[in-house]
Amino acid sequence: MLIQSICLRKLCAATHTTAAMAAAISLAHSTIFLSKPSLFLSRNRVAAFAFSTSSAVSSDNLRTKKWRQPVMAASAVELGGVKISKEDVVRDDPTNNVPDTIFTKLGMQLHRRDQHPLGILKNAIYDYFDTNYSNKFEKFEDLCPIVPVKANFDDVLVPADHVSRSYNDTYYVDSQTVLRCHTSAHQAEILRSGHTHFLVTGDVYRRDSIDSTHYPVFHQMEGVRVFSPEDWESSGLDATTYTAQDLKTCLEGLARHLFGAVEMRWVDTYFPFTSPSFELEIFFQEKWLEVLGCGVMEREILKRSGKTENYAWAFGLGLERLAMVLFDIPDIRLFWSNDERFTSQFTKGQLGVKFKPFSKFPPCYKDMSFWINESFTENNLCEVVRGIAGDLVEEVQLIDNFTNKKGMTSHCYRIAYRSMERSLTDEEINDLQMSAVFEPEYYAL
């Protein structure tokens, strides 16, 4: 494994009103780190690349410049009938943390491709609701993913101090606008428009860890059914009990429609927007699998939408999570592949066709050590890694954690690189990482 060390001797300062300046780098050979550069991260920005035992760079100096990998992408996309330019989403704004790589995913809408596993699964769920509810459920699948903070959080009663609101978890276009974290971001607007039975499907965005089941863009489906007093009054049940029973009956039927005659169980849980709240689990392939989350919608959401006498249920499920199980797809990155050896295996209307691996290329591992400060988060690190290597990264795993006598903490991460389409060489990955170290853009403040 390549052993090098580089010391960051000086990081040039910059302000909002002046052009960003490159860091001054000098080589040193006294400090040894295995393989690759260490990273000092602060809040939602990259502080520096360095092979160094010096203290972490101050977060105050590094708050305004995002980590970005140069990406060849369309300058505009059409979303929900609206043309959105790249400058509308990736802005030179201190509150913006959307990287170029995320913009390239906007408008791809994998769930609308009938021969894609996600589209096949979506259509199978549509078939269930159309058959069992006489086409009562309206379908929304082309809503723009750029939404107000109010719609994404406030309208569904997410607390002001909830972790999901942080820049560590959510992509902010500006302080009042985000890339939706869930399809629930459209719930209140659709309710206000008078709809009482609907399904919302779309791509959602979250800053997340890197492994075979997590990706910063994935797809959800939200379902809502609203009841009027006459629906429950003749049942002899109170409104909450009636709504919860109808919800469970509906979703147990959906699980059987997708997975067959499986054992199921309900688990009580908590969501800000439903009460009571549940998770549905099924016993599938010799283990319990969480299928979806759901519950009786909080009355406050309905009241704000003008439905003061109504009750409702809502559920949300992740399409990738279920598709990986139903189609035996081992890595979430494959959903984004254009390789015909992947795409040709799936046919419209054929749910559960088992994916046949067309290759298993070996991984290339690189270890990376660095000092951290109190503002370091693993999601920030993963954003940097994705910005450099994109979908070549299979996993980022913490393998060592050390605190010295001075109270300074060091982390060591192992990065697993593996292409879906070809073998990677050690030299290629070394060049990839070192080109990032010496690229002035990555030092700009």
Side-chain angles (χ1 to χ4, degrees):
M1 189 175 292
L2 179 66
I3 298 179
Q4 291 179 306
S5 81
I6 299 176
C7 290
L8 186 65
R9 293 287 179 86
K10 181 179 179 182
L11 195 61
C12 299
T15 68
H16 298 297
T17 57
T18 59
M21 299 180 66
I25 308 297
S26 61
L27 297 178
H29 303 283
S30 58
T31 304
I32 294 180
F33 272 117
L34 287 180
S35 180
K36 295 301 141 204
S38 63
L39 306 168
F40 298 106
L41 304 179
S42 62
R43 202 173 174 202
N44 63 319
R45 301 292 185 264
V46 175
F49 258 111
F51 292 98
S52 175
T53 55
S54 60
S55 59
V57 177
S58 162
S59 62
D60 293 336
N61 294 333
L62 300 153
R63 191 162 292 167
T64 62
K65 187 70 177 180
K66 288 191 298 290
W67 179 272
R68 293 211 181 117
Q69 178 192 20
V71 175
M72 297 300 293
S75 59
V77 295
E78 188 169 306
L79 302 170
V82 179
K83 191 172 183 179
I84 305 294
S85 72
K86 181 177 177 182
E87 289 71 28
D88 292 327
V89 181
V90 183
R91 302 178 181 176
D92 189 14
D93 182 306
T95 62
N96 183 289
N97 63 347
V98 182
D100 296 342
T101 49
I102 293 298
F103 178 80
T104 65
K105 305 299 185 185
L106 292 174
M108 295 190 70
Q109 297 188 321
L110 302 183
H111 61 286
R112 303 188 75 192
R113 303 181 186 184
D114 289 342
Q115 292 186 301
H116 190 280
L118 300 184
I120 295 169
L121 173 57
K122 179 207 69 178
N123 289 332
I125 299 172
Y126 282 0
D127 289 343
Y128 170 78
F129 280 94
D130 288 345
T131 300
N132 290 275
Y133 295 91
S134 303
N135 297 302
K136 284 184 177 179
F137 278 80
E138 297 176 85
K139 304 172 185 71
F140 301 87
E141 57 178 45
D142 190 26
L143 299 176
C144 182
I146 304 170
V147 299
V149 167
K150 180 178 182 297
N152 196 75
F153 296 120
D154 301 331
D155 286 352
V156 287
L157 308 184
V158 175
D161 60 350
H162 196 276
V163 64
S164 64
R165 290 179 180 257
S166 74
Y167 281 77
N168 184 58
D169 285 51
T170 295
Y171 290 109
Y172 279 79
V173 176
D174 58 45
S175 63
Q176 299 302 315
T177 312
V178 298
L179 298 182
R180 65 185 170 210
C181 302
H182 46 199
T183 47
S184 302
H186 304 285
Q187 187 183 99
E189 181 183 4
I190 295 173
L191 286 170
R192 287 194 295 268
S193 299
H195 302 285
T196 58
H197 296 67
F198 56 88
L199 302 171
V200 182
T201 311
D203 41 328
V204 298
Y205 300 79
R206 296 181 191 174
R207 304 177 86 238
D208 213 336
S209 55
I210 299 177
D211 58 37
S212 63
T213 62
H214 291 87
Y215 200 79
V217 188
F218 57 104
H219 298 75
Q220 281 189 344
M221 180 183 289
E222 166 109 352
V224 171
R225 185 181 189 186
V226 180
F227 298 94
S228 299
E230 55 265 27
D231 293 319
W232 67 78
E233 285 175 349
S234 61
S235 70
L237 301 173
D238 65 83
T240 299
T241 302
Y242 177 88
T243 304
Q245 285 190 3
D246 186 88
L247 169 67
K248 290 182 176 181
T249 299
C250 170
L251 297 180
E252 287 172 359
L254 175 60
R256 284 190 290 269
H257 178 72
L258 298 177
F259 293 94
V262 291
E263 183 181 353
M264 305 181 206
R265 68 184 183 189
W266 290 96
V267 180
D268 293 336
T269 188
Y270 164 78
F271 300 114
F273 26 79
T274 55
S275 180
S277 302
F278 315 101
E279 289 176 347
L280 175 60
E281 296 182 349
I282 64 171
F283 195 71
F284 189 73
Q285 296 179 345
E286 304 303 317
K287 61 182 179 181
W288 286 102
L289 171 72
E290 178 190 334
V291 175
L292 51 79
C294 61
V296 177
M297 190 180 296
E298 286 281 4
R299 295 296 310 288
E300 182 62 25
I301 296 175
L302 290 165
K303 290 176 181 178
R304 292 180 184 181
S305 302
K307 302 183 184 300
T308 58
E309 302 298 322
N310 302 94
Y311 277 72
W313 54 244
F315 74 84
L317 58 83
L319 293 179
E320 278 88 347
R321 179 181 180 82
L322 300 187
M324 291 180 77
V325 175
L326 288 165
F327 294 95
D328 277 354
I329 295 174
D331 194 307
I332 197 169
R333 293 175 296 164
L334 280 165
F335 289 113
W336 299 92
S337 175
N338 291 317
D339 193 313
E340 289 187 2
R341 293 172 295 177
F342 176 77
T343 59
S344 64
Q345 294 191 36
F346 308 102
T347 304
K348 179 180 178 179
Q350 295 188 12
L351 181 69
V353 173
K354 302 306 179 185
F355 169 66
K356 297 177 182 178
F358 48 83
S359 61
K360 185 65 173 178
F361 295 105
C364 180
Y365 295 106
K366 298 295 176 183
D367 292 351
M368 177 175 65
S369 298
F370 50 91
W371 298 108
I372 67 170
N373 60 26
E374 66 282 353
S375 57
F376 170 82
T377 72
E378 192 167 300
N379 280 357
N380 284 336
L381 170 63
C382 290
E383 282 293 297
V384 175
V385 174
R386 282 195 180 100
I388 298 168
D391 286 352
L392 292 180
V393 183
E394 179 179 67
E395 184 177 26
V396 174
Q397 181 183 15
L398 179 66
I399 61 173
D400 189 46
N401 185 340
F402 168 74
T403 301
N404 67 14
K405 294 180 179 180
K406 295 181 179 180
M408 295 176 61
T409 298
S410 168
H411 281 184
C412 182
Y413 283 86
R414 178 158 294 162
I415 304 177
Y417 296 88
R418 192 200 305 262
S419 171
M420 298 282 99
E421 301 168 355
R422 60 187 178 84
S423 292
L424 301 175
T425 66
D426 200 54
E427 180 180 7
E428 176 183 3
I429 299 304
N430 286 342
D431 290 344
L432 174 71
Q433 295 195 155
M434 293 309 295
S435 67
V437 173
F438 289 104
E439 173 57 51
E441 165 68 12
Y442 298 138
Y443 291 100
L445 299 181

